[in-house]
Amino acid sequence: MALYAKIAAMKRILIVKTTSMGDVIHALPVVEDILQHFPDAQIDWLVEESFADIPRLHPRVQQVFTVAVRRWRNQWWRCQTWREISAIKQAVASQPYDLVLDVQGLVKSAVMSTWAKGPRYGYDKHSIREPLASRFYQHAFDIPYRQHAVIRMRTLAAMALGYDVPQDNPNYGLAADIQRTPTPAFLALHATSRDSKLWPEDHWVDLGQHYAAQGLQMWLPWASASEQARAKRIAAEVPQAMVLPKLSLQQLAGQMPQAQFAVGVDTGLSHLAAALDIPVVALYTDTEPAFTGVAGGRKAPAINLGGKGQLPTVNAVIDHLTAMTLPVAHI
């Protein structure tokens, strides 16, 4: 009887959150919240292929199903595209779920949630940007739109699963599985999706020179040729700065916790740093961080500076890092 009760209490849950990198990272605390109330839950994830490494970083996410909507959209006429779509639909439908949770709230994610066998939960028509999506859910909840995405997703999961809405700082569930051995270095996350989000190169140089004088090495990751070129230009003017080799997302996630702190523009890597419990100052120049800015975890602070049409100063960044009482002055 005890074994039967334990099996009956187990829940099999599919989280649907496909894009983008920062948004997928914002959904990670949902996993930890669920496990706190249902320790034996089996949690799977449906995600865009280019961001699949994010849920894979969480040790308790079991199956990660990948879609390729961006690629499929440009190749919709190819037989291979339709074979891939059919294969992923069959994979998702291969086992029943107790709950299918669409925390994305878009028509495309709502449609994909119907691939799974199980009751679908999501936001109601007043709570999302694409109200039509709510018609695909069997259970929809009114959750105020004008609040941070992390809070909204954690609230949705709580209401769907019947536990109290969490009031504490989010736990991303990654840091415990990645060894943190800080070295005298900081991360300069200079690359982002469009030029309007960039922080000026001379600001990065000034910041790097300031901390080089305190004994901290500036680490500059990159992914594209243009990002590598920018990293090299910055590094050329900062003593001991290091342009990192090209790393996969998982490789970079393994190295990031060695840094003392991170300074980053509006990029998924800034969110990843926060999820790894690294102190972060995030810089916004073309977007507003109120609802989708970097959200710090339970062990390390995160500060969002700037906004649309604003340019955070180097001194402001240094002041906020100093206020975080980071161990840099004596290194």
Side-chain angles (χ1 to χ4, degrees):
M1 289 296 293
L3 178 61
Y4 174 79
K6 183 176 181 180
I7 294 173
M10 290 177 64
K11 287 190 178 295
R12 184 175 169 82
I13 298 166
L14 177 67
I15 293 174
V16 181
K17 184 64 172 178
T18 60
T19 59
S20 57
M21 185 192 299
D23 295 334
V24 173
I25 292 169
H26 282 162
L28 287 170
V30 168
V31 177
E32 289 298 308
D33 291 344
I34 293 172
L35 292 172
Q36 183 177 348
H37 295 87
F38 302 95
D40 296 323
Q42 177 175 326
I43 300 175
D44 298 339
W45 199 303
L46 182 65
V47 65
E48 185 75 24
E49 60 181 2
S50 54
F51 306 117
D53 280 348
I54 298 299
R56 286 176 181 146
L57 287 171
H58 197 295
R60 288 295 304 276
V61 173
Q62 300 193 21
Q63 291 192 79
V64 176
F65 301 106
T66 61
V67 296
V69 175
R70 298 179 178 185
R71 177 166 53 81
W72 293 340
R73 188 183 293 124
N74 295 325
Q75 301 176 2
W76 60 267
W77 64 89
R78 297 183 59 187
C79 292
Q80 178 62 27
T81 295
W82 293 102
R83 282 195 292 267
E84 289 181 17
I85 294 172
S86 177
I88 189 61
K89 288 174 70 174
Q90 290 180 33
V92 172
S94 62
Q95 299 182 65
Y97 288 96
D98 297 297
L99 186 143
V100 179
L101 188 66
D102 178 15
V103 296
Q104 185 97 27
L106 298 176
V107 171
K108 68 175 183 179
S109 60
V111 170
M112 287 187 279
S113 73
T114 67
W115 299 348
K117 296 177 181 177
R120 299 181 296 276
Y121 294 73
Y123 305 99
D124 74 6
K125 64 181 181 180
H126 303 292
S127 306
I128 45 179
R129 191 173 68 221
E130 299 180 3
L132 180 61
S134 65
R135 297 195 175 201
F136 292 87
Y137 311 133
Q138 287 131 336
H139 308 274
F141 301 93
D142 181 8
I143 299 173
Y145 193 81
R146 297 188 64 81
Q147 56 183 326
H148 197 281
V150 173
I151 297 174
R152 276 171 49 82
M153 288 186 280
R154 296 180 77 192
T155 300
L156 175 60
M159 296 177 74
L161 283 145
Y163 54 82
D164 291 339
V165 175
Q167 302 299 320
D168 53 358
N169 288 336
N171 180 3
Y172 293 89
L174 304 185
D177 201 49
I178 298 175
Q179 185 64 38
R180 179 170 170 78
T181 54
T183 59
F186 76 97
L187 284 160
L189 306 174
H190 58 95
T192 186
S193 58
R194 61 178 188 260
D195 289 351
S196 59
K197 295 182 179 182
L198 293 173
W199 204 42
E201 289 184 24
D202 61 344
H203 285 37
W204 285 113
V205 170
D206 290 346
L207 185 71
Q209 290 176 348
H210 173 83
Y211 284 109
Q214 298 191 33
L216 264 72
Q217 187 178 39
M218 187 185 213
W219 286 354
L220 294 142
W222 58 277
S224 67
S226 61
E227 293 170 6
Q228 183 187 31
R230 185 189 310 113
K232 287 182 176 179
R233 289 193 299 269
I234 295 168
E237 299 187 52
V238 177
Q240 304 302 314
M242 181 171 67
V243 177
L244 298 180
K246 189 172 185 178
L247 302 171
S248 69
L249 192 59
Q250 288 190 327
Q251 290 171 329
L252 186 56
Q255 184 160 347
M256 289 176 81
Q258 299 175 39
Q260 297 276 334
F261 59 87
V263 178
V265 291
D266 182 5
T267 171
L269 294 182
S270 296
H271 297 281
L272 181 58
L276 291 166
D277 280 322
I278 302 166
V280 180
V281 171
L283 310 172
Y284 291 82
T285 61
D286 192 45
T287 51
E288 294 295 340
F291 305 133
T292 57
V294 173
R298 296 185 180 179
K299 296 180 182 179
I303 300 293
N304 296 300
L305 297 181
K308 192 171 183 62
Q310 301 180 43
L311 186 64
T313 66
V314 176
N315 285 338
V317 174
I318 293 171
D319 288 345
H320 279 85
L321 288 169
T322 302
M324 289 178 178
T325 64
L326 301 173
V328 296
H330 63 279
I331 289 177

